[in-house]
Amino acid sequence: MKLAICEQFGIDFPLFAFSHCRDVVAAVTNAGGFGVLGATAYTPEQLDRELSWIDDHVGGRPYGADIIVPAKFEGKGENLSTGQLADRIPAETKDFVAKLLAEHDIEPEERPRLGGSSLSGDTGRDLLDVAMSHPIKLVANALGVPPDYMIEAAGERGIPVAALVGAREHAVKQVNAGVDLIIAQGTEAGGHCGEVSTLVLVPEVLEAVEATGKRVPVLAAGGIVTGRQMAAAVAMGADGAWTGSVWLTTEEAETAPHTQQKMLAASSRDTVRSAGRTGKPSRQLVSDWTDAWLPHDGGARPLPLPLQSMLVEPVLRRIDGLASQGHSGAQALSTYFVGQGVGLMNKVKPAREVVREFIEDYLAAAERLSGTLPD
Amino acid sequence: MKLAICEQFGIDFPLFAFSHCRDVVAAVTNAGGFGVLGATAYTPEQLDRELSWIDDHVGGRPYGADIIVPAKFEGKGENLSTGQLADRIPAETKDFVAKLLAEHDIEPEERPRLGGSSLSGDTGRDLLDVAMSHPIKLVANALGVPPDYMIEAAGERGIPVAALVGAREHAVKQVNAGVDLIIAQGTEAGGHCGEVSTLVLVPEVLEAVEATGKRVPVLAAGGIVTGRQMAAAVAMGADGAWTGSVWLTTEEAETAPHTQQKMLAASSRDTVRSAGRTGKPSRQLVSDWTDAWLPHDGGARPLPLPLQSMLVEPVLRRIDGLASQGHSGAQALSTYFVGQGVGLMNKVKPAREVVREFIEDYLAAAERLSGTLPD
């Protein structure tokens, strides 16, 4: 496509694909888009291995890494160990989880394990160092303005820094902090998201970024799983699209089979914005789990970052394991991050095929719109 | 524009404008769009007067009327008088309202009046008869499948019936009931709305309507206050746009001045989907009023249609009156229906000018998108 961003990033089609799965990242990059590996769940050693694999499979084509370093989290500046953080998880929240599992016929574990504190921001620096030892062409960050060390280290190496924002004011803050690429992500997005819809947020952010006087490209995100939606965003002035959910039902994705089935069957109304997974509102498949964390009498309040995910990620992995063995209580509880676009995701396809369909659909949408113009 | 819907409705530009204000309806129709008068708040006599005025001012150009006949409401089928309905308003909800007013330094009225039961659907038939005695070219309905008498009476006179939907399944139901025009309205819309965003809902509804085998045009609604957003919807396959909020800050609108000021100052994050006005979730400006109806300890649950609006509409009109006199408590409480697009509504303009800007912006968006196509 004839868009400045294609030249800037050395791509044919400005479709950015966020995925935790290296195969998806490589497939999208090889198909002319831009794959971005979600790095936060990896240890530095694991991340190094994944990125080396990608290097071996993309033949020098561009890809990036996404490292979440939250601007605010429990224990920030206190230099706490994971154990010290764990001590801040209240007993009543643990009891609430145990009761929820019991109600779904899931036995308590003798010594429930806690997850890592990757959402505490502590490991972000190590992951960044690993990522920058590979030929990445973008580093992305969510949950606030990237830390200075990210902007500085990336700047020294000429690697653009991208930031996800859910509000106009946040975009301005990011641009002023030196971010090179803004991702305006609407409330319909899977994972962490704000409250403003993509159709409103994108023109609002474009206007606000333009008013800063700096020329920073803006990608549209949230709900985009087809080329026609991407074309809609570009018609509004966006430079391209940032996507995530659509890759969860590709052949390459490591999505648990029962979760993939839920996604294929889901309508756009089967997601909810809930703090019950990470402590910050994120969009997920509706399930007994997300219902349990809705505000209600006798309910528990989700804990702040990173405590909620330390407590619940191992539980949700256990639930996924049981669900895949056919445990009905676990199947009712199981959930995963996904956006409202899930209503349009009805078939498992290779990632390469998704890119091809995006391009065709984008072209058809552009022709449809220009076909309405008076002679 | 070269769109089949323009020929079908005898318009130049498929911009449908819902407004309670006859001046806006006439101005949009005269500027080449399609004005639709929101009729529900009128008595039959008032409506007749408003439509006659429009007839005198549009020189035979097409316009329509919107009559809300909810498919479900308290007392349906019981043939209750307004007084009998009023008896179903619980004392504790009245007390909650009185307490909220007192907290904002607003004296209780000696004999608080109740509003009419227009949202009970009882007056819908009379309003429809009046509307159809005028040369209307569309009758629209929200809150469920239109009653048979509406579809039949309109069908006999060759008047297309439109229905607003917030979910794919509802669109299919409406098409099967014989509706001629579907308005797919996203969660970012002002007034009654569902949970799915416009960017996701429009392609979902288009797909579902196409699968019925019937050729029913689909308008996009929700958050659309600029031509570039309308172009985005048309790129996705919509036949045009249905708008409401954007007319509230026109010169012609009867929006209370302090409310218009709130709207001009508001960002897209200053709205909330709340049942505190009509009993069904509708998007409004955030205020102390909408905060009060959020679920919380000691809070009151909104009543079902039409009881909530019978109780609160006269109160909100009183609040508006006090707010316009500078009463600070009333100003904190005052609110009105508006969508997230309010963040892009920053200047009072004549309605005619809004249409002109929509057209220009639409053309620029279409050119922007086609300019990205490879040679």
Side-chain angles (χ1 to χ4, degrees), chain A residues 17-199:
Chain A
F18 170 91
S19 175
H20 292 107
C21 171
R22 63 189 188 187
D23 303 77
V24 170
V25 172
V28 172
T29 284
N30 286 329
F34 193 103
V36 180
L37 188 73
T40 299
Y42 293 115
T43 63
E45 297 70 34
Q46 287 169 333
L47 179 61
D48 194 40
R49 214 157 46 230
E50 300 299 298
L51 295 180
S52 296
W53 186 93
I54 293 173
D55 293 335
D56 289 346
H57 287 80
V58 297
R61 286 184 196 85
Y63 72 93
D66 184 291
I67 297 163
I68 303 180
V69 185
K72 290 180 203 155
F73 52 90
E74 177 71 23
K76 182 172 180 177
E78 296 181 56
N79 225 339
L80 302 176
S81 68
T82 301
Q84 286 168 314
L85 270 168
D87 290 341
R88 300 199 177 173
I89 299 175
E92 53 265 40
T93 317
K94 291 182 188 171
D95 293 345
F96 177 76
V97 170
K99 191 166 150 269
L100 181 60
L101 293 179
E103 284 165 4
H104 288 80
D105 299 320
I106 298 176
E107 298 284 319
E109 285 188 304
E110 235 165 87
R111 294 196 48 187
R113 279 177 315 135
L114 290 176
S117 54
S118 64
L119 285 182
S120 74
D122 284 350
T123 57
R125 195 165 197 142
D126 296 340
L127 291 174
L128 184 69
D129 287 342
V130 168
M132 290 199 305
S133 72
H134 292 265
I136 58 168
K137 296 290 185 292
L138 181 75
V139 55
N141 181 54
L143 301 183
V145 172
D148 289 344
Y149 69 77
M150 187 184 280
I151 292 180
E152 282 164 20
E156 280 167 19
R157 290 164 183 80
I159 302 169
V161 176
L164 281 91
V165 301
R168 173 211 295 249
E169 320 69 285
H170 299 168
V172 173
K173 230 195 247 180
Q174 298 278 6
V175 168
N176 289 336
V179 156
D180 307 289
L181 176 65
I182 294 289
I183 301 157
Q185 189 190 40
T187 187
E188 52 268 72
H192 295 116
C193 60
E195 292 176 276
V196 184
S197 83
T198 304
L199 194 75

Side-chain angles (χ1 to χ4, degrees), chain A residues 1-3 166-170 187-188 195-201 203-204 207 222-224 226 228-229 231-237 267-269 297 340-341 343-344 346 362-363 365-375, chain B residues 1-3 166-170 187-188 195-201 203-204 207 222-224 226 228-229 231-237 267-269 297 340-341 343-344 346 362-363 365-375:
Chain A
M1 302 298 147
K2 287 196 274 180
L3 277 155
R168 173 211 295 249
E169 320 69 285
H170 299 168
T187 187
E188 52 268 72
E195 292 176 276
V196 184
S197 83
T198 304
L199 194 75
V200 172
L201 184 69
E204 240 190 328
E207 200 176 78
I224 301 178
T226 64
R228 68 193 65 188
Q229 294 168 298
V234 173
M236 292 195 292
S267 93
S268 58
R269 295 206 290 173
D297 291 340
Q340 291 187 335
L344 293 160
N346 305 317
Y362 177 99
L363 296 175
E367 274 163 32
R368 181 161 45 233
L369 182 59
S370 68
T372 68
L373 295 182
D375 295 319
Chain B
M1 302 297 148
K2 288 196 275 183
L3 277 155
R168 175 211 296 252
E169 317 74 284
H170 299 168
T187 187
E188 52 268 71
E195 292 177 276
V196 183
S197 82
T198 305
L199 193 75
V200 171
L201 184 69
E204 243 190 327
E207 199 176 78
I224 301 179
T226 64
R228 69 193 65 190
Q229 294 168 299
V234 173
M236 292 196 291
S267 94
S268 58
R269 295 206 290 172
D297 290 342
Q340 291 187 337
L344 293 160
N346 305 318
Y362 178 99
L363 295 175
E367 273 162 32
R368 181 161 47 232
L369 182 58
S370 69
T372 68
L373 296 182
D375 296 317

Side-chain angles (χ1 to χ4, degrees), chain B residues 49-72:
Chain B
R49 212 157 45 230
E50 301 298 300
L51 295 181
S52 296
W53 186 92
I54 294 174
D55 293 336
D56 289 345
H57 286 81
V58 298
R61 288 186 196 84
Y63 72 93
D66 184 291
I67 297 164
I68 303 180
V69 185
K72 290 180 202 155

Side-chain angles (χ1 to χ4, degrees), chain B residues 8-365:
Chain B
Q8 188 189 343
F9 284 91
I11 52 180
D12 301 327
F13 188 58
L15 175 63
F16 289 69
F18 170 91
S19 174
H20 293 106
C21 171
R22 64 190 188 185
D23 303 77
V24 170
V25 171
V28 172
T29 284
N30 286 328
F34 192 103
V36 181
L37 188 73
T40 299
Y42 293 114
T43 64
E45 296 70 34
Q46 288 169 332
L47 179 61
D48 194 39
R49 212 157 45 230
E50 301 298 300
L51 295 181
S52 296
W53 186 92
I54 294 174
D55 293 336
D56 289 345
H57 286 81
V58 298
R61 288 186 196 84
Y63 72 93
D66 184 291
I67 297 164
I68 303 180
V69 185
K72 290 180 202 155
F73 53 90
E74 178 72 22
K76 182 174 180 175
E78 296 180 57
N79 224 339
L80 301 176
S81 68
T82 302
Q84 286 168 314
L85 269 168
D87 290 341
R88 300 199 178 173
I89 299 176
E92 53 265 41
T93 317
K94 291 182 189 171
D95 293 345
F96 177 77
V97 170
K99 191 165 151 268
L100 183 59
L101 293 179
E103 284 166 4
H104 288 79
D105 299 319
I106 298 177
E107 298 285 319
E109 285 188 304
E110 235 164 85
R111 294 194 50 187
R113 280 177 316 134
L114 290 176
S117 55
S118 65
L119 285 180
S120 74
D122 283 350
T123 56
R125 195 166 199 143
D126 296 340
L127 291 174
L128 184 68
D129 286 343
V130 168
M132 289 197 308
S133 72
H134 292 265
I136 59 167
K137 295 292 184 293
L138 181 75
V139 54
N141 181 54
L143 302 183
V145 172
D148 290 343
Y149 69 77
M150 187 184 282
I151 293 180
E152 282 163 22
E156 281 168 19
R157 289 163 184 81
I159 302 170
V161 176
L164 281 91
V165 302
R168 175 211 296 252
E169 317 74 284
H170 299 168
V172 173
K173 233 195 245 178
Q174 298 277 7
V175 168
N176 290 335
V179 156
D180 307 289
L181 176 65
I182 294 290
I183 301 158
Q185 189 191 41
T187 187
E188 52 268 71
H192 294 115
C193 61
E195 292 177 276
V196 183
S197 82
T198 305
L199 193 75
V200 171
L201 184 69
V202 168
E204 243 190 327
V205 164
L206 282 164
E207 199 176 78
V209 168
E210 201 185 316
T212 65
K214 297 188 187 159
R215 293 193 54 169
V216 176
V218 175
L219 299 179
I224 301 179
V225 301
T226 64
R228 69 193 65 190
Q229 294 168 299
M230 177 173 171
V234 173
M236 292 196 291
D239 295 277
W242 175 274
T243 54
S245 300
V246 71
W247 311 106
L248 295 172
T249 50
T250 56
E251 284 177 6
E252 291 88 346
E254 286 157 6
T255 317
H258 62 278
T259 305
Q260 214 173 45
Q261 284 311 312
K262 272 195 184 182
M263 289 178 180
L264 295 173
S267 94
S268 58
R269 295 206 290 172
D270 295 322
T271 75
V272 65
R273 193 171 165 265
S274 159
R277 182 140 196 162
T278 71
K280 278 185 86 81
S282 70
R283 191 169 294 282
Q284 303 153 57
L285 280 175
V286 169
S287 79
D288 284 4
W289 180 271
T290 57
D291 286 349
W293 294 94
L294 291 176
H296 68 281
D297 290 342
R301 273 166 98 88
L303 306 172
L305 286 180
L307 304 184
Q308 182 75 7
S309 55
M310 287 175 69
L311 174 63
V312 310
E313 278 300 333
V315 177
L316 285 162
R317 274 199 293 275
R318 212 177 137 223
I319 287 170
D320 269 339
L322 291 168
S324 65
Q325 294 160 28
H327 187 296
S328 65
Q331 284 177 343
L333 284 166
S334 78
T335 178
Y336 194 69
F337 302 113
V338 76
Q340 291 187 337
V342 73
L344 293 160
M345 290 156 45
N346 305 318
K347 214 180 145 205
V348 174
K349 295 170 196 164
R352 178 184 79 245
E353 178 75 7
V354 173
V355 178
R356 202 186 54 73
E357 286 184 6
F358 249 87
I359 296 174
E360 273 180 19
D361 201 38
Y362 178 99
L363 295 175

Side-chain angles (χ1 to χ4, degrees), chain A residues 199-279:
Chain A
L199 194 75
V200 172
L201 184 69
V202 168
E204 240 190 328
V205 165
L206 282 163
E207 200 176 78
V209 168
E210 203 187 315
T212 66
K214 296 189 187 161
R215 294 193 53 167
V216 176
V218 174
L219 299 179
I224 301 178
V225 302
T226 64
R228 68 193 65 188
Q229 294 168 298
M230 178 173 170
V234 173
M236 292 195 292
D239 295 277
W242 175 274
T243 55
S245 300
V246 70
W247 312 105
L248 296 171
T249 50
T250 56
E251 284 178 7
E252 291 88 344
E254 286 156 6
T255 316
H258 62 278
T259 304
Q260 214 172 48
Q261 285 310 311
K262 272 194 184 184
M263 289 179 180
L264 295 173
S267 93
S268 58
R269 295 206 290 173
D270 296 324
T271 75
V272 65
R273 190 170 167 264
S274 160
R277 182 138 196 164
T278 71

